[in-house]
Amino acid sequence: MKKKVVSVMLCAAMTAAVLAGCGSSSAETVSEDTSAAAEETEDVAAEETAETAEADTEESAGGTLVMGTNAEFPPYEYYEGQEVVGIDAEMAAAVAEKLGMELKIEDMAFDSLIPALSSGKVDIVAAGMTVTEDRLASVNFSDTYATGIQAIIVTEDSDIASADDLVGKTIGVQQGTTGDLYATDVEGATIERYAKGMEAVQSLSQGKIDAVIIDNEPANVFVSEVEGLKILDEAFATEDYAVAVAKDNEELLEQVNTALAELKEDGTLQAIVDKYITAE
Ligand code: GLN
């Protein structure tokens, strides 16, 4: 993907000077074909050529796999000091290792993740991201690696006992998540959108909202950290988590799927999950 972008940049910079091959040939071919032309072009183009060479060296040495995530989602991704840890972080590191690459994690707002993939800022998204029809219109998803449940959190003394009781209530969600979508569908409900799931939970504990809809594993963590809250037995929906990859990067999608299959097969994935989630 990186190579393709670089080729396009070179093609654009060298316009008429470019020999045949822009668009379909690899970056290496383009650099070779145009090395003579580069001497005659502006400094900018020459600089770009140098950058291309640098990028190629990096990639041939394995390169970096950039993972986008929103590190506010324990136990899948959260900070331990300066470091993002969690199931997704370790799974992605294991995938990167299989690919002979080094993992780099970029933390950003949840609703920036798909745009970051599409613009090439990140190579994969691993963020407890649910596979949905809407998202499939903009990205591809790997095979699924975990299941999530949309849980409802309320205060211990709440009169809300089921999803039906949410009608007309004020519901807190993390912006852009599937919890946000479900809440938006609740009849007569007012939706309060937060950047972080934990902020919604704190708001609930302060009596500012009536309930929070959020994935069950972070729900368990948040409820264990904030007093006076409980998770309803009745959940909203069961969902599949998968790694998202840009639409035009079929090759990486296949590599991720192969790596995931191996990590499932040899027990690595389960070991990572067991490290972060203790079975009840
Ligand atoms: N699983 C939810 C979604 O995909 C929430 C993910 C998250 O907040 N990281 O929308």
Side-chain angles (χ1 to χ4, degrees):
M1 186 171 57
K2 209 181 204 175
K3 283 186 177 172
K4 215 174 184 179
V5 172
V6 173
S7 303
V8 171
M9 274 166 47
L10 279 172
C11 287
M14 297 178 181
T15 54
V18 174
L19 306 169
C22 271
S24 59
S25 47
S26 73
E28 273 116 310
T29 318
V30 173
S31 313
E32 269 167 38
D33 285 352
T34 56
S35 54
E39 284 170 25
E40 290 155 24
T41 49
E42 302 281 309
D43 282 359
V44 181
E47 254 167 50
E48 273 168 7
T49 311
E51 275 167 26
T52 314
E54 223 170 80
D56 277 354
T57 323
E58 258 175 44
E59 288 201 0
S60 56
T64 306
L65 183 71
V66 184
M67 160 186 151
T69 199
N70 172 242
E72 302 294 341
F73 198 72
Y76 285 90
E77 41 269 334
Y78 58 99
Y79 279 95
E80 224 169 65
Q82 300 291 321
E83 198 192 349
V84 176
V85 298
I87 296 169
D88 287 335
E90 287 204 28
M91 173 199 64
V95 167
E97 200 184 333
K98 294 247 175 225
L99 270 52
M101 299 173 92
E102 206 177 302
L103 185 74
K104 183 174 175 232
I105 299 179
E106 295 274 358
D107 180 24
M108 62 188 79
F110 186 78
D111 56 2
S112 299
L113 289 168
I114 287 185
L117 253 192
S118 306
S119 70
K121 190 169 185 269
V122 302
D123 302 314
I124 60 168
V125 165
M129 186 175 269
T130 303
V131 179
T132 69
E133 284 302 317
D134 270 7
R135 290 173 184 162
L136 275 168
S138 359
V139 298
N140 283 330
F141 281 105
S142 71
D143 297 330
T144 96
Y145 63 87
T147 301
I149 297 169
Q150 289 302 313
I152 303 164
I153 310 177
V154 294
T155 50
E156 265 163 7
D157 59 358
S158 176
D159 57 357
I160 299 170
S162 73
D164 288 344
D165 298 335
L166 289 174
V167 171
K169 300 285 188 188
T170 301
I171 308 171
V173 296
Q174 185 184 9
Q175 166 118 356
T177 60
T178 48
D180 186 349
L181 285 180
Y182 290 119
T184 306
D185 274 350
V186 174
E187 202 190 315
T190 305
I191 316 303
E192 292 290 339
R193 297 182 173 85
Y194 300 85
K196 306 174 183 184
M198 187 53 158
E199 287 170 1
V201 171
Q202 272 157 351
S203 219
L204 174 65
S205 95
Q206 291 158 5
K208 293 179 187 160
I209 56 177
D210 302 313
V212 171
I213 301 179
I214 196 162
D215 303 51
N216 60 321
E217 290 302 343
N220 285 331
V221 174
F222 297 150
V223 165
S224 75
E225 288 172 356
V226 179
E227 268 182 39
L229 304 179
K230 64 179 182 188
I231 298 171
L232 295 186
D233 289 337
E234 188 191 330
F236 243 98
T238 303
E239 306 178 323
D240 289 325
Y241 293 167
V243 175
V245 178
K247 270 266 181 247
D248 61 358
N249 206 346
E250 294 280 347
E251 192 190 339
L252 182 58
L253 182 68
E254 257 174 52
Q255 290 174 321
V256 169
N257 275 337
T258 305
L260 277 178
E262 288 171 13
L263 296 171
K264 282 180 194 169
E265 179 73 27
D266 70 10
T268 306
L269 188 61
Q270 192 57 51
I272 293 172
V273 171
D274 291 346
K275 180 175 162 188
Y276 288 95
I277 301 175
T278 5
E280 271 141 44

